[in-house]
Amino acid sequence: MLVLPAFQTTIECMGEQTIALVTGANKGIGYEIAAGLGALGVSVGVGSRNRERGEEAVAELRANGVDAFAVPLDVTDDESVASAVSLLDERFGRLDVLVNNAGIAGPWPMAPSATTAESLREVLETNVIGVVRVTNAMLPLLGRSARPRIVNQSSHLSSLALQTTPGVELGDVNGVYTPSKTFLNAITVQYAKELTGIKVNGACPGYVATEFNGFQGHETPEDGARTAVRLATLPDDGPTGGLFDHTGTVPW
């Protein structure tokens, strides 16, 4: 079992500016991931489907001392993703960190017996296919980095082990969002097996109060960002191909 140990980030020992892209970063956990990386001196691209909201988030981050820049990005649209690649290529020529944070809940809760092909397809388009679309498009830029990192935002709900452990309470049965994150875990493992020069991991933010869940969580967005920030700044001897939260390894 992979264990996420205590460690120093690589940021302080990097010889040049670290460039990151966080998808879905105009609000919530994504915004706090951008803020957390920025606090470490990382230049952060704020990926946002809504251009205006993305620019507003960038202005707020920059007012707080973060070197942030807007990246208009709809993870479900090939042309939008290609434009984001061109922007990063022209401005920096590489990408060091990709945090695939953008996601949607879909109908909630929706029992498996009530799940429709349309509802499942819509969620998978963002939560899984969108991650593959963005990751594959960004791979040439990540390949130019000395220490490339990919973080895929998962969930404790994705864990089959937790889902089937007696006494573990993970909320409503759901046939759409929950399976989408389990699917994402499988994709994350396969990327880690293929991309041996890139550390690829999944992050579980916890039960965070955001617009995503109607502000029902008991943790803050800042709390939820911690694991992704940590995985995005792993040292060279850090783990790859794992699923983690702020306490360590999450079982598959």
Side-chain angles (χ1 to χ4, degrees), residues 81 85 98 100 129-142 150 187 191 194-195:
V81 173
V85 172
L98 171 62
N100 287 304
I129 298 171
V131 170
V132 173
R133 178 181 287 111
V134 173
T135 299
N136 288 355
M138 296 293 169
L139 282 178
L141 295 179
L142 287 163
I150 298 173
I187 291 290
Y191 270 125
E194 178 192 3
L195 306 174

Side-chain angles (χ1 to χ4, degrees), residues 58-119:
V58 166
E60 185 174 341
L61 287 165
R62 293 186 70 85
N64 291 322
V66 174
D67 183 13
F69 57 95
V71 181
L73 177 58
D74 179 349
V75 304
T76 69
D77 183 83
D78 288 334
E79 290 186 7
S80 176
V81 173
S83 294
V85 172
S86 295
L87 185 156
L88 291 165
D89 191 16
E90 292 171 7
R91 183 164 180 176
F92 302 104
R94 73 176 197 287
L95 181 65
D96 301 301
V97 174
L98 171 62
V99 181
N100 287 304
N101 170 76
I104 62 173
W108 187 288
M110 178 173 276
S113 59
T115 296
T116 64
E118 290 74 19
S119 62

